[in-house]
């Protein structure tokens, strides 16, 4: 991933230095396990631990192991070990180390993403409560429907973040496994106790059954869930983009100082950060296809998955980390315009109360088809002639015989539509 979208902490997770360090950690954990069960002399373990630090001191050579070149890594280690080198990596295969390292990196990445999501959730809860009763028009099919509140919209986003946190924790549990079972997963040349012991040291669970590799449905699940989270951010950003349209103007993304919306039109206030969120989410969704393709491997192992994983797994984590940081920044600076929300409500000429009128007629015993026809004909006239809907109802030939002037007036009350907002917030624990 290009540096523009790589934040320091997440970049460090996928750096060659961290990969190198985790290779050392896995090899040392395996050595400790072998020493514990008597398969390695204690002095050999001491030499491996000591010389692991010496090997890491040659970190200027780390570029040589870019792409996870394990053979170079083992040669570098062996150069430092002397006689103890014969105990290094005994019975293990490359995937034992590399798949376990990848699991540790994914675990580190997930922890960072969970922190970002929790930060965003706290912010959205704050905004939801601030605008809990701030009326705005609810839109279905892009058209005015009935009143809602901006706080309720934010509450909905909070619950979507909650689902993302749950999914991400589930994905963490799925990828939180190591594998030290040998060439085809049979433990033919490595004692099963080595895997159990080493995984415990590394904070992983042993994968119960493997081939030479960990099965890639695990990785595909993580990538898919990260893409779902990215798509949620895309949905949020798209809503902001729509509400920022000039003819709506209910919210506005605030750009950082010095950043211009348009080079040619100084008046423009474009939601360019939200557009960036939407664009990057497309990349995440594209990576899902590759991750699903990687589930299919020939027999006990092939390398078809490896080249794509070296790109899509780090990039998905890096991109989503960046998207979460940027979207949190957007929401921290979001300008909300309640007055414009109210103006947009009033543009409906009262038509948004049509369902209340319909229900009132039904409660008086009017048949549904008849009541619907009465309300609809007045609604059509109101829209076509830009006339006040309530006034037309009062002039109608049928409706005033069923509903009094006072009863009709009571139906045009915005507060009616938000009387259960407290119930929703309490039920959602926001």
């Amino acid at each position: 991933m290009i540096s523009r979208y790589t934040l320091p902490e997440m970049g460090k997770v996928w750096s060659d230095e961290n990969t190198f360090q985790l290779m050392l950690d896995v090899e040392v954990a395996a050595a400790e396990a072998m020493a514990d069960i008597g398969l390695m002399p204690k002095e050999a373990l001491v030499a491996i631990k000591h010389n692991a630090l010496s090997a890491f001191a040659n970190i200027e050579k780390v570029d040589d192991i870019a792409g996870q070149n394990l053979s170079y890594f083992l040669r570098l280690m062996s150069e430092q070990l002397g006689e103890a080198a014969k105990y290094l990596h005994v019975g293990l295969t490359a995937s034992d180390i590399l798949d376990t390292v990848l699991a540790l990196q994914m675990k580190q990445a997930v922890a960072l993403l969970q922190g970002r999501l929790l930060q965003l959730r706290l912010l959205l809860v704050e905004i939801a409560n601030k605008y809990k009763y701030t009326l705005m028009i609810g839109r279905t099919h892009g058209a005015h429907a009935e009143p809602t509140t901006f706080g309720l919209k934010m509450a909905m986003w909070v619950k979507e973040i909650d689902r993302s946190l749950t999914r991400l924790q589930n994905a963490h549990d799925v990828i939180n496994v190591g594998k030290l079972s040998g060439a085809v997963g049979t433990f033919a040349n490595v004692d099963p106790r080595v895997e159990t012991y080493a995984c415990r040291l590394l904070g992983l669970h042993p994968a119960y059954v493997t081939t030479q590799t960990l099965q890639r449905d695990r990785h595909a699940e993580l990538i898919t869930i990260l893409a779902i989270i990215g798509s949620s951010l895309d949905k949020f950003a798209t809503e902001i983009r729509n509400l920022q349209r000039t003819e709506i103007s209910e919210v506005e993304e605030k750009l950082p100082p010095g950043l211009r919306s348009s080079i040619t039109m100084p008046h423009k206030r474009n939601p360019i950060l939200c557009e960036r969120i939407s664009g990057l989410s497309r990349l995440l969704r594209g990576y899902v296809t590759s991750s699903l393709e990687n589930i299919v491997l020939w027999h006990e192992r092939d390398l078809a998955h490896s080249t794509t994983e070296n790109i899509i797994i780090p990039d998905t984590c890096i991109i989503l980390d960046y998207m979460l940081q940027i979207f949190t920044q957007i929401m921290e600076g979001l300008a909300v315009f309640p007055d414009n929300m109210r103006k947009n409500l009033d543009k409906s000429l009262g038509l948004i109360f049509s369902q209340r009128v319909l229900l009132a007629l039904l409660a008086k015993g009017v048949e549904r088809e008849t009541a619907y026809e009465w309300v609809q004909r007045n609604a059509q006239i109101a829209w076509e002639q830009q006339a006040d809907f309530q006034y037309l109802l009062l002039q109608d030939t049928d409706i005033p015989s069923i509903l009094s002037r006072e009863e009709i007036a009571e139906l045009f009350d915005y507060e009616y539509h938000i009387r259960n907002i407290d119930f929703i917030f309490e039920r959602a624990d926001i």
Side-chain angles (χ1 to χ4, degrees):
M1 177 50 58
I2 62 175
S3 59
R4 177 182 180 183
Y5 301 128
T6 304
L7 300 177
E9 285 184 289
M10 187 63 79
K12 183 178 179 180
V13 169
W14 299 105
S15 67
D16 290 333
E17 289 82 1
N18 191 47
T19 301
F20 190 82
Q21 179 62 66
L22 292 175
M23 285 180 179
L24 290 174
D25 293 345
V26 175
E27 289 286 1
V28 169
E32 286 198 35
M34 291 179 185
D36 184 72
I37 61 178
L39 297 178
M40 177 188 297
K42 296 293 184 182
E43 54 270 22
L45 174 62
V46 171
I48 288 173
K49 284 186 170 182
H50 172 75
N51 287 290
L53 296 175
S54 299
F56 196 71
N58 292 322
I59 199 65
E60 67 273 6
K61 299 181 181 180
V62 75
D63 287 342
D64 295 331
I65 63 163
Q68 300 180 337
N69 187 335
L70 187 65
S71 62
Y72 176 83
F73 165 78
L74 291 173
R75 187 167 73 250
L76 183 63
M77 284 285 292
S78 296
E79 289 172 358
Q80 306 292 327
L81 288 176
E83 184 66 21
K86 65 182 180 181
Y87 295 103
L88 181 69
H89 200 71
V90 174
L92 300 177
T93 187
S95 290
D96 287 323
I97 306 304
L98 299 181
D99 276 5
T100 303
V101 165
L102 182 56
L104 291 168
Q105 287 177 302
M106 290 189 293
K107 183 179 178 181
Q108 291 173 348
V110 166
L112 291 176
L113 294 173
Q114 287 172 320
R116 295 268 188 211
L117 278 168
L118 288 169
Q119 182 184 7
L120 177 57
R121 185 191 188 278
L122 288 172
L123 178 58
L124 292 177
V125 168
E126 181 181 333
I127 297 172
N129 281 289
K130 180 178 180 179
Y131 297 103
K132 187 176 182 179
Y133 307 112
T134 301
L135 280 160
M136 66 181 299
I137 189 62
R139 297 172 173 89
T140 60
H141 306 278
H144 284 205
E146 291 185 342
T148 183
T149 75
F150 187 68
L152 187 58
K153 186 185 294 288
M154 295 298 100
M156 181 180 64
W157 293 5
V158 170
K159 300 316 292 181
E160 192 155 346
I161 294 296
D162 284 345
R163 292 192 295 277
S164 291
L165 284 164
T166 299
R167 292 187 190 104
L168 194 54
Q169 183 58 50
N170 290 339
H172 169 275
D173 296 341
V174 168
I175 55 94
N176 190 39
V177 294
K179 181 263 181 196
L180 298 169
S181 55
V184 292
T186 61
F187 294 102
N189 298 302
V190 59
D191 193 300
R193 291 175 292 174
V194 171
E195 181 183 78
T196 302
Y197 190 103
C199 283
R200 184 170 65 249
L201 286 179
L202 295 167
L204 301 171
H205 299 290
Y208 290 142
V209 183
T210 69
T211 59
Q212 188 176 107
T213 66
L214 290 172
Q215 301 308 290
R216 262 41 199 180
D217 63 289
R218 299 177 184 275
H219 308 68
E221 181 172 346
L222 175 63
I223 296 300
T224 302
I225 287 171
L226 298 188
I228 290 172
I229 296 171
S231 295
S232 290
L233 296 179
D234 183 11
K235 184 182 84 171
F236 304 160
T238 299
E239 181 69 4
I240 292 172
R241 290 166 62 192
N242 270 312
L243 295 180
Q244 188 168 333
R245 289 163 52 200
T246 305
E247 59 270 32
I248 294 178
S249 191
E250 293 180 349
V251 302
E252 184 178 290
E253 169 193 304
K254 291 295 185 182
L255 294 180
L259 189 60
R260 296 176 178 178
S261 288
S262 172
I263 296 174
T264 56
M265 294 174 283
H267 73 281
K268 292 297 294 295
R269 295 184 176 185
N270 300 330
I272 58 177
L273 295 181
C274 283
E275 290 171 352
R276 191 180 300 172
I277 294 289
S278 294
L280 289 173
S281 70
R282 298 171 187 176
L283 192 58
L284 296 188
R285 291 192 287 270
Y287 284 158
V288 171
T289 300
S290 297
S291 71
L292 294 174
E293 295 289 342
N294 286 342
I295 293 174
V296 183
L297 301 178
W298 283 23
H299 300 301
E300 277 65 50
R301 192 248 177 129
D302 67 35
L303 274 175
H305 65 289
S306 179
T307 50
T308 57
E309 282 182 357
N310 289 340
I311 298 170
I312 67 173
I313 295 178
D315 276 14
T316 302
C317 296
I318 288 169
I319 292 167
L320 183 59
D321 183 54
Y322 176 80
M323 290 171 65
L324 285 166
Q325 193 249 23
I326 289 297
F327 190 72
T328 300
Q329 175 185 323
I330 291 169
M331 296 308 296
E332 286 173 340
L334 189 71
V336 180
F337 306 122
D339 290 344
N340 288 346
M341 292 177 178
R342 189 57 180 247
K343 289 176 183 177
N344 287 332
L345 272 172
D346 294 338
K347 287 178 181 177
S348 69
L349 306 169
L351 289 170
I352 56 179
F353 296 103
S354 68
Q355 183 177 189
R356 285 209 71 194
V357 178
L358 174 64
L359 294 175
L361 290 171
L362 295 178
K364 292 285 189 176
V366 180
E367 291 185 1
R368 184 175 186 86
E369 288 301 315
T370 300
Y372 194 96
E373 190 277 326
W374 290 354
V375 176
Q376 186 183 52
R377 74 186 180 210
N378 284 282
Q380 289 175 338
I381 294 171
W383 188 248
E384 291 168 1
Q385 299 181 7
Q386 289 294 286
D388 182 73
F389 182 51
Q390 183 177 352
Y391 172 81
L392 291 173
L393 293 176
L394 293 171
Q395 305 306 310
D396 187 77
T397 56
D398 297 303
I399 293 175
S401 66
I402 306 298
L403 297 173
S404 69
R405 178 179 295 270
E406 291 75 18
E407 287 174 323
I408 292 174
E410 288 175 0
L411 299 177
F412 287 75
D413 179 11
Y414 287 126
E415 297 300 315
Y416 169 86
H417 288 277
I418 63 173
R419 69 191 193 283
N420 290 315
I421 293 295
D422 286 337
F423 163 76
I424 297 172
F425 271 64
E426 290 170 9
R427 183 174 65 175
D429 193 25
I430 295 175

